[in-house]
Every structure is written in C-alpha cells, then in structure tokens.
C-alpha cells in the first residue's frame, strides 16, 4: 500500500511541474512555462519566472514586472505597460488592442494573425511572454 501511495505521489508531483509549450505561429517550440511559473527557452534553459504573487523575474531573479489580479501588467517601477482582459483581449497602456489570447491558447496580433500558441497557459502568463517582456 505504501509503495502504491508513493508511486501515486511521484506521478502527481511530476505532473504538477509539467511544462506547457510556447510555440511560434508556425508551431515551432520557442519555450516552455512550467506550472510553477518557471519560463524556459527552447533549449530548456531558464530565462525567467512568474511568481505566485504575480512578480515577474528574469533568470537572475531580478524583478522586471508584475501581474496584478485584475490583469494589469506593470514594469519594475510599477508603471502600467498593459492589460489582459478576462475575454483575452490584450491592450497596451493606452488601452489600444495589441493582441488576443483565445481560450484554446491561440495568440493573435491586433490584426488577428496568429503569432503563437500557448495552450494550457494562463492568459496573463502568455501575454507576458508574447507581448510585454523579452526574456532570453
């Protein structure tokens, strides 16, 4: 019984840190986001983190921005750089639409051209990667 519980816990633990794939518009893998918020490039090198409190960090753990609970995205100085609406509309700080994140993970620019795929990733996290912060 203990062995079965241990195996179950191990499988659950591995699933909990499973990474979701970030893809370009032509479906090539550009990176991964783990369920704990670790952002990796296509070579699996860590390039950043999104912490549970919404803090966005680069690979050196320096804060570069914040995701607020209302979908506001801020830079490290707490200046608003954009918004992610509940319906997936992504806006810049002037409230102009710069993109869309569909429920199925398709990421589109303001002209509705597909620029990527982020299935299974929170809309705010996808917006951070595709529209607001360059992590490498």
């Amino acid at each position: 019984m203990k062995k079965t519980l241990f195996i179950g816990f191990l499988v659950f633990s591995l699933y909990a840190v499973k990474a979701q794939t970030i893809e370009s518009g032509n479906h090539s893998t550009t990176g991964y986001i783990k369920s704990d918020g670790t952002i990796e490039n296509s070579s699996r090198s860590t390039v950043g983190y999104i912490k549970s409190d919404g803090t966005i960090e680069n690979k050196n753990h320096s804060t570069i921005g914040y995701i607020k609970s209302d979908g506001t995205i801020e830079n490290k100085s707490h200046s608003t750089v954009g918004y992610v609406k509940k319906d997936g509309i992504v806006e810049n700080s002037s409230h102009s639409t710069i993109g869309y994140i569909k429920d199925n993970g398709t990421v589109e620019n303001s002209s509705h051209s597909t620029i990527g795929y982020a299935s299974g990733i929170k809309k705010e996290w996808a917006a951070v990667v595709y529209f607001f912060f360059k992590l490498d």
Side-chain angles (χ1 to χ4, degrees):
M1 180 67 176
K2 287 182 181 180
K3 186 175 182 180
T4 303
L5 287 174
F6 175 74
I7 291 171
F9 175 75
L10 184 61
V11 169
F12 175 77
S13 297
L14 292 173
Y15 177 76
V17 293
K18 181 182 177 206
Q20 298 297 327
T21 304
I22 302 167
E23 298 177 337
S24 68
N26 65 3
H27 290 285
S28 63
T29 299
T30 59
Y32 305 90
I33 297 183
K34 293 183 179 180
S35 59
D36 68 356
T38 301
I39 305 168
E40 300 174 333
N41 64 19
S42 61
S43 301
R44 295 284 191 170
S45 296
T46 299
V47 296
Y49 307 89
I50 301 174
K51 301 295 188 176
S52 60
D53 66 356
T55 302
I56 306 163
E57 298 177 344
N58 65 17
K59 66 182 175 186
N60 299 318
H61 293 282
S62 296
T63 299
I64 59 172
Y66 304 91
I67 301 171
K68 298 299 187 181
S69 60
D70 65 355
T72 301
I73 310 296
E74 298 177 341
N75 65 18
K76 67 180 179 182
S77 302
H78 292 282
S79 296
T80 299
V81 295
Y83 307 90
V84 181
K85 305 294 185 177
K86 297 258 184 245
D87 60 3
I89 295 173
V90 182
E91 299 175 339
N92 64 17
S93 60
S94 302
H95 291 283
S96 296
T97 299
I98 59 173
Y100 306 89
I101 302 171
K102 305 292 185 179
D103 288 337
N104 67 0
T106 301
V107 182
E108 301 175 353
N109 64 17
S110 61
S111 302
H112 291 283
S113 296
T114 299
I115 60 171
Y117 301 92
S119 180
I121 298 171
K122 296 176 186 178
K123 290 178 182 177
E124 295 84 1
W125 291 14
V128 164
V129 171
Y130 284 94
F131 297 105
F132 295 114
F133 294 98
K134 177 145 177 65
L135 296 165
D136 41 27

